[in-house]
Amino acid sequence: MQGLTSLEDARKTVLDSVRPLGLEKVGLLEALGRVLGEDIIAARDNPPWDNSAMDGFAVRWEDIKQEHAITKPAVLTVIEDVPAGKAATRSVGPGQAIRIMTGAPVPKGADTVVKVEETEPYGDSVRIFKPERRGANIRPQGEDVKKGDCIIAKGTQIRPAEAGMLAILARSFVFVYQRPRVAILSTGDELADLDERFDEDKIVNSNSYGIAAAVQEAGGIPFLLGIARDQPSALKEKIAHGLNADILVLSGGVSMGDYDFTKAVFKELGAEMHFWKLAIRPGQPLAFGRIQHTLAFGLPGNPVSSMVTFEQLVRPAMLKMSGHRSYGRPVVQAAFQEKFSKRPDRRHFLRGILSLEGGVLKVRTTGEQGSGILTSMVKANGLIDVPEHVERLNPGDTVDVQVLSGQFWAR
Ligand code: AMP
Ligand code: MG
């Protein structure tokens, strides 16, 4: 449709104007969810030496390889008993064995470990009832990690597995990308904040809280700037407080109404501005640009529109700033369960409920899809992405769904 900007173009403009933030050093316990700002190179092998996978006896395979082990067990002299955390002082010679614990270094001379369950004490010796294969029950040096290899790449988000690996590599501190600081401002004379007494004719400012939570969920640090009244001077003053942040997110006042000043004030305060009528629904009008060093987004005021446009544009910008290498939610394909029709002009994001039924991923809408119906977001675990050109959907049609929460997998 003429005059409307596609979401792809808008996303490209946003992402092209974002650079990853600088790095900071954090302790391993604070690193969960952060994005690594350095390649993690192994300074040594893991395991650092060949070690035993079992409690048992380190032996020479030559000595135990006989075929009729059960009726004619090998008998080996036990020359040392090595407790956990210690290494053997002697090496295993012909006819000898050393008793070792799981994880202990394999003594020199030995090439095989026999589990304690396959043996029986026999005076100062041990009887071995199983002809193990050569090398059995030994975890070779470097089987997990080889010295010099890049084990975790820069740009990886730290999960419990990475945290454990960092500990193995003796990294108690790591460099991660800084978290984006996001200032949040709501606009509108009709709004009242949670901590105010207000009349029945006011609307509670919900956007600031929904957006702040979305910022936190995306790994950022939110700051609430409160509510700006619908006057250019009030708006300018509040915005000025947000210009230390990496990102400023306003909601409301971006339409063409008499009290919609966001676009004009953005222009007065800064240089390059982009103002779009996005070819999406919900969330048509959107202002975006850079004011000094801060990326400024003017999102539509309707609660659902502000959340959906945050998802599509602000979140990707935050993820890029945070050092991530991909900026979208996971997208799955699911079988649509309803009938739906629209004009072939804009891309729609229907709030959807994903479910896994008999191994098939299905999705239905949350019901009424008005942009003021925030319960549609409350019920949703996905956004059904209906492309511009599509006019109708029928039950069973395959649709793309942006996954907002993975709960539906849990059964
Ligand atoms: P606007 O874009 O300013 O015309 O606002 C569109 C609609 O969204 C109006 O009904 C507003 O009352 C509502 N709205 C705007 N800002 C907020 C907010 N912070 N919290 C809840 N509703 C809002
Ligand atoms: Mg308004």
Side-chain angles (χ1 to χ4, degrees):
M1 194 190 247
Q2 242 196 352
L4 297 191
T5 305
S6 75
L7 181 58
E8 292 87 52
D9 288 349
R11 239 176 89 111
K12 186 170 182 324
T13 305
V14 168
L15 288 172
D16 284 350
S17 59
V18 173
R19 297 280 157 273
L21 298 173
L23 305 182
E24 61 182 334
K25 196 174 168 185
V26 297
L28 187 46
L29 284 176
E30 283 82 55
L32 183 68
R34 303 296 295 273
V35 180
L36 266 178
E38 54 173 332
D39 283 334
I40 301 294
I41 311 291
R44 65 171 190 167
D45 287 339
N46 184 57
W49 5 259
D50 289 355
N51 71 97
S52 178
M54 294 288 167
D55 291 340
F57 292 88
V59 301
R60 289 155 23 94
W61 178 75
E62 283 293 319
D63 292 344
I64 63 152
K65 68 181 183 189
Q66 86 285 15
E67 270 168 28
H68 307 291
I70 295 183
T71 49
K72 225 171 133 262
V75 178
L76 304 176
T77 313
V78 180
I79 57 167
E80 196 175 349
D81 194 343
V82 183
K86 290 270 188 310
T89 57
R90 303 179 58 183
S91 57
V92 177
Q96 297 181 333
I98 288 180
R99 191 180 159 88
I100 61 172
M101 302 293 144
T102 305
V106 175
K108 284 206 185 69
D111 60 2
T112 302
V113 169
V114 183
K115 280 190 263 185
V116 73
E117 296 91 314
E118 316 289 355
T119 69
E120 200 177 85
Y122 188 62
D124 289 344
S125 299
V126 62
R127 294 209 284 191
I128 308 240
F129 294 98
K130 192 177 177 202
E132 282 287 12
R133 65 182 168 78
R134 190 197 292 271
N137 303 316
I138 290 179
R139 299 188 287 219
Q141 172 175 348
E143 74 166 358
D144 186 15
V145 164
K146 293 232 179 339
K147 180 179 173 179
D149 281 359
C150 176
I151 306 302
I152 314 174
K154 180 174 170 170
T156 304
Q157 187 169 29
I158 298 174
R159 303 168 304 164
E162 283 76 23
M165 179 50 73
L166 287 165
I168 282 182
L169 300 173
R171 295 295 308 263
S172 46
F173 291 90
V174 282
F175 284 97
V176 294
Y177 287 92
Q178 288 167 13
R179 301 164 67 189
R181 293 160 306 149
V182 183
I184 298 163
L185 177 60
S186 284
T187 71
D189 286 343
E190 76 282 22
L191 300 178
D193 224 322
L194 278 184
D195 51 4
E196 288 174 47
R197 279 169 65 98
F198 54 87
D199 303 331
E200 281 300 312
D201 57 355
K202 294 280 188 183
I203 290 172
V204 180
N205 166 22
S206 61
N207 288 355
S208 290
Y209 299 92
I211 292 169
V215 165
Q216 284 177 297
E217 195 206 27
I221 305 168
F223 297 96
L224 297 196
L225 299 177
I227 298 169
R229 297 298 159 206
D230 285 326
Q231 294 152 8
S233 58
L235 201 52
K236 251 192 224 168
E237 192 193 317
K238 289 278 188 186
I239 288 177
H241 288 127
L243 295 182
N244 286 328
D246 300 304
I247 296 179
L248 171 68
V249 180
L250 272 84
S251 65
V254 279
S255 308
M256 293 305 188
D258 290 345
Y259 297 95
D260 294 333
F261 298 116
T262 302
K263 179 190 169 191
V265 168
F266 270 21
K267 262 192 180 157
E268 275 180 48
L269 284 171
E272 20 126 23
M273 271 314 298
H274 304 269
F275 181 75
W276 300 303
K277 282 190 161 189
L278 288 180
I280 66 169
R281 187 184 179 134
Q284 205 197 66
L286 201 139
F288 166 72
R290 183 178 289 279
I291 306 175
Q292 296 169 22
H293 296 292
T294 304
L295 281 192
F297 291 87
L299 307 183
N302 278 308
V304 178
S305 311
S306 67
M307 286 210 156
V308 169
T309 48
F310 182 97
E311 273 294 324
Q312 306 309 321
L313 293 171
V314 186
R315 192 172 191 275
M318 286 182 62
L319 295 190
K320 186 167 179 191
M321 279 184 177
S322 314
H324 285 273
R325 298 297 153 89
S326 60
Y327 317 126
R329 295 275 191 181
V331 173
V332 295
Q333 296 199 316
F336 193 61
Q337 300 296 292
E338 294 166 29
K339 275 183 181 291
F340 173 76
S341 64
K342 70 173 184 61
R343 280 195 285 175
D345 51 6
R346 291 194 254 164
R347 185 167 166 182
H348 282 218
F349 289 98
L350 305 176
R351 275 71 73 207
I353 301 171
L354 280 164
S355 60
L356 192 58
E357 291 168 36
V360 178
L361 209 44
K362 297 184 175 177
V363 69
R364 60 195 161 88
T365 69
T366 54
E368 284 300 324
Q369 295 288 307
S371 57
I373 301 179
L374 196 55
T375 45
S376 71
M377 284 299 284
V378 172
K379 291 175 190 161
N381 56 13
L383 292 176
I384 306 168
D385 184 351
V386 189
E388 256 169 54
H389 63 88
V390 169
E391 279 186 81
R392 61 186 71 253
L393 289 174
N394 288 308
D397 285 353
T398 300
V399 287
D400 282 352
V401 185
Q402 298 177 353
V403 180
L404 299 176
S405 136
Q407 284 305 313
F408 63 94
W409 294 113
R411 286 248 145 176

